[in-house]
Amino acid sequence: MAESLPPVPSPAPVFSDDFSSGLDDERWIAHYLPQWTEPERSQARYAIVEAGLQLRIESDQLDWREEDAPLRVSNVQTAVFSGVIGSTRGTHRHRQDGLEVRTETPSRLLFAPTRGRIDLTVAASTDEGCMLAAWLVGIENLAERDAGEICIFEIDADAVSTTTRARVGVKAHHDPRLTTDMAEVVLPFDACEPHTWTVIWGDGETVIGCEGRVLRRIPQSPDYPMMLLIDLFEIGAPSGDYPETAVVSGVTAWD
């Protein structure tokens, strides 16, 4: 029998949003890593629906960066950090070849935990070429090596059926103190229906679970400020019907 996750902590959460009042700009930044591109490319497309925040990829949406095309994304994140235009300082340096800050982006740390627990309720996309993902990423505001990532989940649309495959784990990126440790897990349900993921990290361990059950225990964890990103990607050339969508129903965090 699979190990159960710990019960929800009794103290009040330090962060909680069900999007019933819209997208709160004191909690969320509706751009994907805006420092590396232009605002019209990083800005999220979304709608507030009965179930929560609907992330959308629309037919006229631009690629996030021309150099990374084809790749379109609608994302919300809880912080932003970068250096001046032309510098290489900034959160999540995703490539090595000439990446520079293109848009001046004042630093904002709306929610930047170093440890804790986060529960996220989502419904994945089944639209062709899409992926729904949630990550905790080192902000790098204190040091460039604070760049590790906890991949809470990555769910490709073509992996969603009566059972669902997802990728979970830790990615070292530019943090030499971490080792990349990713694995595919199988969920015994259709992830296009609402379901809840949990990440608990700190004291050198990361636990990732879903629907109350532990999926992985990883004997390492970042210990520096991290931001939460929740993203809907379209990877590959535009295809299918638009808008392509996924839904985030709620996010709750404890320290």
Side-chain angles (χ1 to χ4, degrees):
M1 181 178 293
E3 178 186 0
S4 296
L5 285 163
V8 169
S10 55
V14 296
F15 183 101
S16 183
D17 198 356
D18 64 4
F19 306 101
S20 59
S21 300
L23 190 65
D24 185 349
D25 62 9
E26 293 301 315
R27 290 191 175 110
W28 302 100
I29 296 160
H31 286 263
Y32 180 62
L33 303 175
Q35 68 273 13
W36 304 130
T37 186
E38 296 85 29
E40 63 271 18
R41 294 181 177 274
S42 63
Q43 187 167 19
R45 306 287 183 95
Y46 66 89
I48 302 300
V49 298
E50 184 176 357
L53 174 69
Q54 182 189 69
L55 297 172
R56 301 162 66 97
I57 302 293
E58 298 179 333
S59 60
D60 64 338
Q61 196 162 341
L62 297 174
D63 288 299
W64 174 60
R65 281 169 35 105
E66 291 182 283
E67 296 91 335
D68 294 291
L71 178 67
R72 303 195 287 178
V73 57
S74 288
N75 163 82
V76 291
Q77 59 189 59
T78 63
V80 67
F81 164 75
S82 79
V84 299
I85 291 175
S87 80
T88 58
R89 287 299 311 276
T91 301
H92 206 50
R93 290 163 286 135
H94 70 289
R95 56 191 294 168
Q96 301 287 345
D97 52 340
L99 186 66
E100 294 182 352
V101 173
R102 287 188 181 162
T103 297
E104 184 174 354
T105 309
S107 297
R108 299 181 69 204
L109 276 61
L110 306 178
F111 176 57
T114 60
R115 57 181 295 149
R117 172 177 174 149
I118 300 176
D119 288 2
L120 309 89
T121 301
V122 300
S125 178
T126 56
D127 295 308
E128 183 178 353
C130 283
M131 178 182 78
L132 179 67
W135 300 306
L136 286 161
V137 171
I139 297 172
E140 302 184 46
N141 59 314
L142 302 180
E144 289 187 60
R145 70 175 187 167
D146 293 349
E149 172 194 318
I150 298 173
C151 176
I152 305 169
F153 60 81
E154 296 172 347
I155 306 173
D156 297 324
D158 63 6
V160 178
S161 186
T162 52
T163 62
T164 298
R165 302 186 314 278
R167 294 179 296 277
V168 304
V170 169
K171 301 177 189 178
H173 293 300
H174 304 280
D175 186 345
R177 298 159 295 185
L178 298 176
T179 300
T180 294
D181 184 352
M182 292 288 294
E184 186 174 86
V185 297
V186 177
L187 311 173
F189 54 80
D190 187 333
C192 75
E193 298 296 330
H195 60 287
T196 299
W197 290 85
T198 297
V199 59
I200 303 168
W201 80 105
D203 297 326
E205 182 180 63
T206 299
V207 178
I208 298 171
C210 188
E211 289 295 284
R213 298 295 183 182
V214 172
L215 297 174
R216 295 201 67 201
R217 285 187 177 272
I218 302 167
Q220 54 181 331
S221 66
D223 62 355
Y224 37 77
M226 307 189 82
M227 67 183 188
L228 176 64
L229 304 92
I230 309 174
D231 335 79
L232 176 64
F233 288 90
E234 182 188 58
I235 302 167
S239 62
D241 297 325
Y242 293 91
E244 299 169 332
T245 64
V247 174
V248 186
S249 295
V251 180
T252 308
W254 298 263
D255 57 16

